[in-house]
Amino acid sequence: MPSWKQALTLAQYQLRDYVFSRRFILMMALVAIIGAILTAVVGYFRPAAFLESSGAFYAIFWGGGVTVVIVFAGVIFGGDAIAGEFQNKTGYFLMGQPIRRATVYVGKYLAAFVAAFTAVVFFAVLLLGNGAYYFGAGAFTATFLASFVLAIVYLLALLGATFLFSSLFKTSTYATLVVAVLFLFGFMLIQDLISGLVHTTPWYILTYADSIIGGIFNTSCASSPGTHTCTMPGPGGGFTQTVTNATIPEGVGIMLAYFVITSVLGLVSFEREEFS
Amino acid sequence: MTLPSIEVHGLTKRFGSFTALDKLDLKLEGGKCVGFLGPNGAGKTTTLKMLTDMIFPTEGECFLNGISVQRERKRAMESAGVLIESPEIYPSLTATQALRMVAELRNMSREEQNARIPAILEEVKMADWADQKVGKYSKGMKQRLNIAAALVPDPEIVILDEPATGLDPRGMAEVRSIVRDLKKHDRLIFMSSHILAEVTDVCDEVALINHGKLLFYDTLDNVTARFSSGQSSMDASFAHPVSEETLRGKLDGNPDLVKYEQLDPRRFRLSFKGGLPAQGRLLRQLSGEELELVSFQESKSVLEEIYLSQIEKGD
Ligand SMILES: Nc1ncnc2c1ncn2[C@@H]1O[C@H](COP(=O)(O)OP(=O)(O)O)[C@@H](O)[C@H]1O
Ligand SMILES: [Mg+2]
């Protein structure tokens, strides 16, 4: 039996386990809550700036929301994916089969990816629903589709990193905690520290790259991809500042590099781990 | 067709400075059941885990049907069904789904699966639970399912690590009977246990291990012959205390008796030669109104003596 087929088989059963588990319901509920709050806030306050165009609307609510959804999905489906195999002893069952360790890793990644992808699609549907309400047919733009693809690339990278931590720690809680803290605040903090203190662009940090998901809508100078001189609001007509954001190819490159490097490291670490 | 085989060369495992297994060499070949006997902490699980690439040897290598487990885990494991350390199964799967997963990972056809899975669930007495989620199972039920999972692919080699742990006495008896049935199909079964009776009950051969070292590997018959002194030993219990003189008077002139020792006021251990005929004569002498013999049973078996003495020696 070829290993790729085994990976698909494993992914299929793992996915079944996810879909019938509490965590899947939890994830979908989280997306629903985020979507509901967003719908209520926009519907109640009708912020003019965001309702100017569908691009402005998506840049804020999709660009800002989907990365949070992805981090949650990564943590929920990937945090204990490998660590749990040790901690819950399900790995001992799999290791009794004629299967390579790498196949187990890939199969579990596929399952987590599909589960998280479903959550992202759910979030996209909620946003498109809102978009359609305010902008009609104008809500369904090619830019949104492009942004969706970028979000999926971010998901690849984030899950790659999550799996790496999950295989480095044999305890699910540690793996989950580290990923959650790192991706929800840690990277952002490091990025701010580096750009603030050292005045260099921390291009190697994933949160720098993920700005292209909202940036692609090109709705404000400060968030558009690439380097610009922008006029910032402030007293006396504001001031100008040079803003450096990742360009789309840079962002995609960085995210894919994250995916590849963390996956290789995660695989190597899992290959060396003992079920003792 | 070649015979199923398990080979272990110079297998050593150290955890830090502690040597859990020390240069184990073992070659098992053909359809039979080999008991891997040793007290808790002897190194049984450590050995079986290296045999299935769950942990890595510090030194040495293992082969299943001649294929190196360390170099080609996937191909080597194709001929083996394994149960080590009571694993868990994804809790949302049912027994049938879990076994289907195993069957699919092992490339069994749909028809084979449909025939084999219900049959094996029947065999481990889990048919009634086939469509219930594993998450609801008791420990004993999970262990039965684990045994079923090891047997689903109809493997040539079966590796079982203390398969009866976690089961109630009836479950233990059932596991033994399953293992005995397995022998009918020319399989090589390697089963670890710390319970001597389990090994003598179902196995043809025994490998005794303690403190990470193999003490011997031989057939049960050879072991018994090699270590037995040609004497048998029976324990006799009486309804009331019996003095040594009374017993001596009673057994005076019995030519088979080698020695006797008083275990407590009502019990004696009698060693004798001459096998069953001598045992019969002894029983006739002891019975009768006077002494009120209430039981007459075999003392520790030869293997039991060996198991205990070998283990004491090592300590
Ligand atoms: N991961 C580990 N780290 C340190 N010591 C271990 C580890 N696994 C097993 N041991 C030790 O190795 C010895 C043999 O263990 P094991 O093979 O599980 O024994 P058995 O299965 O015969 O009861 C024991 O003393 C145990 O404490
Ligand atoms: Mg053990």
Side-chain angles (χ1 to χ4, degrees):
Chain A
M1 176 121 179
S3 288
W4 66 266
K5 243 173 133 180
Q6 285 184 319
L8 289 180
T9 303
L10 180 60
Q12 186 196 324
Y13 281 92
Q14 175 71 66
L15 197 58
R16 193 176 314 200
D17 191 51
Y18 280 152
V19 171
F20 291 107
S21 70
R22 237 172 286 148
R23 70 175 79 197
F24 193 76
I25 299 167
L26 173 73
M27 185 64 225
M28 289 306 170
L30 266 172
V31 175
I33 290 168
I34 296 175
I37 293 175
L38 200 146
T39 306
V41 166
V42 177
Y44 187 76
F45 294 105
R46 308 249 164 181
F50 305 148
L51 293 177
E52 231 163 59
S53 66
S54 67
F57 175 76
Y58 290 138
I60 293 297
F61 292 111
W62 166 259
V66 76
T67 49
V68 175
V69 167
I70 288 174
V71 171
F72 276 123
V75 167
I76 287 178
F77 297 118
D80 71 343
I82 302 298
E85 291 291 330
F86 293 97
Q87 203 183 339
N88 309 330
K89 298 189 87 175
T90 47
Y92 293 82
F93 187 74
L94 292 177
M95 292 309 283
Q97 310 306 325
I99 189 168
R100 295 209 221 118
R101 278 179 165 73
T103 309
V104 172
Y105 194 94
V106 171
K108 298 218 65 165
Y109 185 96
L110 285 175
F113 179 80
V114 173
F117 182 84
T118 312
V120 175
V121 168
F122 182 35
F123 187 65
V125 167
L126 292 181
L127 274 175
L128 285 173
N130 270 287
Y133 180 76
Y134 297 109
F135 310 105
F140 305 96
T141 61
T143 319
F144 184 81
L145 188 65
S147 180
F148 181 82
V149 172
L150 294 179
I152 298 309
V153 177
Y154 178 61
L155 173 60
L156 277 177
L158 185 118
L159 266 186
T162 309
F163 267 61
L164 169 61
F165 287 116
S166 192
S167 89
L168 289 178
F169 298 105
K170 279 189 184 175
T171 317
S172 306
T173 328
Y174 287 147
T176 306
L177 213 64
V178 167
V179 171
V181 168
L182 208 52
F183 284 89
L184 287 177
F185 331 101
F187 275 171
M188 206 77 84
L189 198 70
I190 296 168
Q191 185 181 352
D192 288 349
L193 279 178
I194 292 172
S195 37
L197 296 176
V198 199
H199 298 290
T200 60
T201 312
W203 55 269
Y204 39 83
I205 288 185
L206 198 51
T207 37
Y208 170 73
D210 78 26
S211 66
I212 61 172
I213 299 171
I216 194 173
F217 293 102
N218 258 324
T219 49
S220 87
C221 180
S223 67
S224 295
T227 304
H228 323 272
T229 305
C230 302
T231 308
M232 304 303 227
F239 57 99
T240 58
Q241 190 185 3
T242 306
V243 176
T244 305
N245 291 318
T247 64
I248 306 275
E250 272 171 10
V252 170
I254 293 164
M255 291 196 272
L256 288 180
Y258 258 84
F259 168 61
V260 172
I261 293 168
T262 53
S263 295
V264 168
L265 291 178
L267 274 166
V268 168
S269 135
F270 188 53
E271 286 284 348
R272 291 153 161 266
E273 238 156 340
E274 295 196 316
F275 286 80
S276 63
Chain B
M1 219 196 85
T2 52
L3 293 172
S5 69
I6 295 176
E7 260 183 82
V8 166
H9 296 312
L11 200 62
T12 299
K13 181 69 182 178
R14 281 189 281 273
F15 295 106
S17 61
F18 175 73
T19 304
L21 190 69
D22 195 12
K23 300 193 197 72
L24 176 70
D25 286 298
L26 202 56
K27 180 170 182 173
L28 318 176
E29 195 173 43
K32 60 190 171 194
C33 177
V34 181
F36 195 28
L37 180 66
N40 287 328
K44 304 182 295 294
T45 302
T46 301
T47 306
L48 298 188
K49 278 186 177 175
M50 286 191 279
L51 210 47
T52 51
D53 189 48
M54 289 185 184
I55 62 174
F56 311 122
T58 311
E59 280 158 37
E61 197 169 1
C62 314
F63 300 84
L64 299 176
N65 279 353
I67 303 166
S68 165
V69 176
Q70 277 68 38
R71 275 177 282 174
E72 288 185 85
R73 127 170 276 277
K74 186 181 166 196
R75 212 157 69 83
M77 296 285 289
E78 269 165 14
S79 49
V82 172
L83 166 54
I84 295 177
E85 283 253 59
S86 312
E88 293 287 331
I89 299 172
Y90 296 138
S92 310
L93 300 183
T94 66
T96 304
Q97 286 167 349
L99 296 186
R100 271 199 196 286
M101 177 170 90
V102 171
E104 283 174 32
L105 288 175
R106 288 175 176 267
N107 215 11
M108 277 168 78
S109 72
R110 270 272 154 187
E111 296 81 70
E112 274 180 287
Q113 291 179 28
N114 292 341
R116 185 107 181 109
I117 290 174
I120 203 91
L121 283 173
E122 191 70 49
E123 197 178 336
V124 298
K125 307 226 157 51
M126 285 293 293
D128 290 345
W129 291 81
D131 298 316
Q132 301 287 323
K133 287 186 179 169
V134 175
K136 291 187 197 153
Y137 289 5
S138 70
K139 214 175 155 219
M141 290 160 70
K142 285 183 188 167
Q143 189 70 346
R144 284 160 201 267
L145 182 55
N146 279 324
I147 292 171
L151 303 183
V152 151
D154 198 4
E156 278 185 279
I157 298 173
V158 180
I159 297 172
L160 303 170
D161 186 25
E162 313 241 11
T165 45
L167 299 180
D168 57 19
R170 178 142 53 104
M172 287 172 105
E174 280 163 11
V175 166
R176 288 178 199 180
S177 113
I178 291 168
V179 177
R180 266 195 301 268
D181 279 346
L182 282 178
K183 292 201 287 188
K184 291 179 192 144
H185 305 279
D186 270 341
R187 292 194 186 88
L188 174 56
I189 304 156
F190 193 30
M191 179 184 84
S192 82
S193 176
H194 68 280
I195 303 165
L196 176 71
E198 196 163 86
V199 171
T200 53
D201 195 21
V202 300
C203 296
D204 313 294
E205 301 181 346
V206 59
L208 183 64
I209 181 178
N210 196 22
H211 296 297
K213 282 195 198 294
L214 184 71
L215 300 174
F216 59 75
Y217 163 51
D218 211 333
T219 63
L220 283 177
D221 294 341
N222 282 350
V223 173
T224 309
R226 181 141 58 100
F227 288 91
S228 82
S229 48
Q231 291 176 13
S232 316
S233 162
M234 300 292 290
D235 290 352
S237 311
F238 304 96
H240 307 289
V242 171
S243 73
E244 222 188 303
E245 281 104 57
T246 319
L247 189 84
R248 196 183 312 140
K250 195 80 187 162
L251 294 178
D252 205 21
N254 185 320
D256 312 313
L257 194 65
V258 177
K259 64 169 185 185
Y260 58 87
E261 99 191 79
Q262 186 148 26
L263 301 172
D264 62 51
R266 301 193 301 107
R267 287 197 315 136
F268 285 87
R269 175 160 298 165
L270 309 161
S271 301
F272 57 94
K273 50 192 188 335
L276 286 177
Q279 188 176 321
R281 285 193 289 276
L282 203 55
L283 178 59
R284 277 192 297 279
Q285 267 184 305
L286 291 173
S287 43
E289 309 258 308
E290 232 173 301
L291 291 179
E292 280 195 74
L293 180 72
V294 290
S295 93
F296 187 62
Q297 59 183 13
E298 221 169 327
S299 325
K300 275 181 281 176
S301 70
V302 176
L303 256 170
E304 206 173 341
E305 303 263 12
I306 298 167
Y307 187 30
L308 292 174
S309 72
Q310 290 286 348
I311 286 161
E312 276 163 18
K313 243 193 261 171
D315 282 331

